[in-house]
Amino acid sequence: MSTFSSETAWLCLAVTAALGGLVLCKLKSPGQVGGKGVCLAGLWGGACLLSLSLFWSLILFSLSCFLLYTYLSGQELLPVDQKAVLITGGDSGIGHALCKYLDQLGFTVFAGVLDENGSGAEELRRTCSTRFSVLQLDVTDSQQIKDAYSKVVQKVQNRGLWAVVNNAGILGLPADGELIPMIHYKRCMDVNFFGAVEVTKAFLPLLRKSKGRLVNISSMAGGVPLFKMAAYGSSKAALTMFSAVMRQELSKWEVKVSNIQPGGFKTNITGTSEMQEKLEKDILDHLTPDVQEEYGQDYILAQKNVFKAVSTYASSDVSPVLQDIQHAISAKSPFTFYTPGSGAYLWLCFVSFSPTGIFDYFNKKFNYLNNGTPRILSMPNWKNKAM
């Protein structure tokens, strides 16, 4: 190798090292930003080294590091400056934890709760700062939404509202789609979708004024067809599409929209044992005799075991969700989608890009919500009888 070529190669190595170091510094971002950035840079660098000469590999890898550094510069967090944020569903679970988390960071937090006199609301009042406010806000009640809007306007005045986080949600009844009563389909849509839409419409004038953020908490189940989640998944899929449309329509107002699609996390979304027993009773009360006969009493009653399975495979550490929401609220250029939780991103990619038959095969293989076989399907020669 000539002296010139040797010096050029060493120069490229030095530039690559310098840019790589800058990228690693930038990758100290909340949530999943850092991990994905490292993966993309590693894959790109490996592809370059395997397919090109050393010189051009280093050139292209340096270019990729530079572009990644430029991109991640937009992920720097804006100063809090007591920015005002409205969070729905603050009574418990992720919403409750998020209220405390953002309050500690210095945000002015408005916690919309289902019961302003409940234990969750009382704990927030006791533990949060003087900036914190609790609002009675059932997202299915139009009058409560209007009242909450008036109270927020009164407090923020000219500062405006920086962000709305539509977090309120219910799981409904996790069971075979045919077994779920229509009342539970409608309830899931009322809370998970229509409630978020109405809250968004009510507070958008304040977000447009501040050029702020709209953050919708959807679910991995809104993009991945999971067993037993027909009602819940459908409502979250609707919310995901709503977010995508609003992202485009609000861009002219410089309002940024992000959709959070978490994997499994332990919250009280499954409800108390009393609530679960009521859901079980609702199944039996709404099924026709023919459907009850074909599924069988044992199979139907076993649906309550789905709640235990959901809790068993869920993570108790909700910090990845909180960090991603913080990033969506605070980053100069927030992401469109966030997928906190183990396996959420991979499952969403898998269902998007794999053939349907392959996805269905693996979905059945890894289905941890399976709880037996309907009575008629366990009978010998049931296929012949059906014909």
Side-chain angles (χ1 to χ4, degrees):
M1 181 182 290
S2 67
T3 303
F4 175 77
S5 299
S6 177
E7 291 176 351
T8 303
W10 280 108
L11 177 62
C12 289
L13 280 172
V15 171
T16 300
L19 289 173
L22 289 173
V23 168
L24 288 175
C25 290
K26 285 290 182 182
L27 287 175
K28 295 178 181 178
S29 303
Q32 61 188 314
V33 182
K36 288 185 179 177
V38 169
C39 290
L40 289 173
L43 289 172
W44 177 247
C48 290
L49 290 171
L50 289 173
S51 59
L52 301 172
S53 65
L54 177 62
F55 175 78
W56 286 109
S57 295
L58 293 172
I59 291 292
L60 289 177
F61 187 62
S62 298
L63 178 61
S64 69
C65 287
F66 174 75
L67 293 175
L68 187 58
Y69 173 81
T70 303
Y71 172 71
L72 291 175
S73 296
Q75 308 311 312
E76 293 179 358
L77 303 185
L78 299 170
V80 173
D81 292 335
Q82 296 187 16
K83 289 182 172 69
V85 178
L86 170 69
I87 303 168
T88 65
D91 303 77
S92 59
I94 290 174
H96 189 83
L98 180 64
C99 288
K100 292 182 177 180
Y101 182 69
L102 294 184
D103 178 70
Q104 291 172 357
L105 291 176
F107 287 92
T108 298
V109 176
F110 295 94
V113 297
L114 189 61
D115 181 6
E116 62 180 341
N117 298 315
S119 59
E122 288 300 326
E123 183 185 350
L124 290 175
R125 290 191 186 96
R126 186 176 65 254
T127 58
C128 292
S129 69
T130 56
R131 298 183 307 273
F132 191 87
S133 299
V134 171
L135 303 175
Q136 176 61 43
L137 182 53
D138 179 348
V139 298
T140 65
D141 188 321
S142 298
Q143 187 57 52
Q144 289 191 17
I145 293 174
K146 292 176 183 177
D147 293 343
Y149 175 82
S150 299
K151 291 176 181 178
V152 170
V153 170
Q154 183 180 6
K155 186 162 184 178
V156 300
Q157 297 182 358
N158 294 328
R159 287 191 296 123
L161 183 66
W162 175 250
V164 169
V165 181
N166 283 310
N167 164 77
I170 60 171
L171 181 64
L173 184 64
D176 289 30
E178 186 178 7
L179 300 179
I180 300 175
M182 282 306 302
I183 188 174
H184 290 289
Y185 278 102
K186 293 176 181 178
R187 181 63 178 163
C188 273
M189 290 301 293
D190 281 343
V191 177
N192 299 345
F193 178 62
F194 291 124
V197 171
E198 189 165 0
V199 169
T200 298
K201 286 169 62 65
F203 286 90
L204 263 179
L206 299 181
L207 293 184
R208 286 191 282 106
K209 182 178 180 180
S210 66
K211 298 179 182 179
R213 308 294 167 83
L214 173 63
V215 181
N216 292 325
I217 311 300
S218 179
S219 169
M220 183 183 79
V224 180
L226 299 176
F227 287 92
K228 314 291 184 180
M229 297 291 176
Y232 177 75
S234 298
S235 66
K236 290 300 188 179
L239 182 60
T240 296
M241 181 56 70
F242 174 72
S243 302
V245 174
M246 295 305 292
R247 182 187 74 247
Q248 298 173 77
E249 294 179 352
L250 294 177
S251 62
K252 57 180 172 287
W253 299 98
E254 299 183 47
V255 174
K256 295 179 173 61
V257 180
S258 294
N259 189 45
I260 316 290
Q261 294 180 284
F265 289 92
K266 285 185 180 179
T267 66
N268 71 339
I269 195 171
T270 57
T272 63
S273 58
E274 291 78 11
M275 293 170 61
Q276 294 171 13
E277 289 175 4
K278 183 182 182 301
L279 293 175
E280 181 184 89
K281 184 176 182 299
D282 285 345
I283 289 184
L284 297 173
D285 290 346
H286 288 83
L287 289 182
T288 64
D290 288 345
V291 174
Q292 288 197 42
E293 175 67 19
E294 292 187 348
Y295 276 91
Q297 187 88 349
D298 291 341
Y299 182 85
I300 294 172
L301 294 179
Q303 298 301 303
K304 63 183 178 183
N305 295 329
V306 176
F307 288 111
K308 296 179 182 178
V310 170
S311 298
T312 300
Y313 289 90
S315 171
S316 58
D317 179 16
V318 299
S319 59
V321 186
L322 304 184
Q323 290 172 351
D324 278 355
I325 296 173
Q326 178 200 357
H327 188 267
I329 292 172
S330 303
K332 291 181 180 178
S333 300
F335 295 133
T336 301
F337 296 101
Y338 295 82
T339 54
S342 177
Y345 181 71
L346 292 177
W347 272 108
L348 286 163
C349 288
F350 187 36
V351 73
S352 298
F353 299 111
S354 67
T356 303
I358 293 177
F359 169 79
D360 288 351
Y361 172 79
F362 282 100
N363 197 26
K364 290 177 183 177
K365 282 286 186 181
F366 292 100
N367 172 33
Y368 62 86
L369 299 181
N370 182 35
N371 57 343
T373 304
R375 187 194 67 83
I376 196 169
L377 298 184
S378 61
M379 295 174 61
N381 302 321
W382 72 268
K383 289 186 178 180
N384 295 332
K385 292 180 180 180
M387 296 175 62

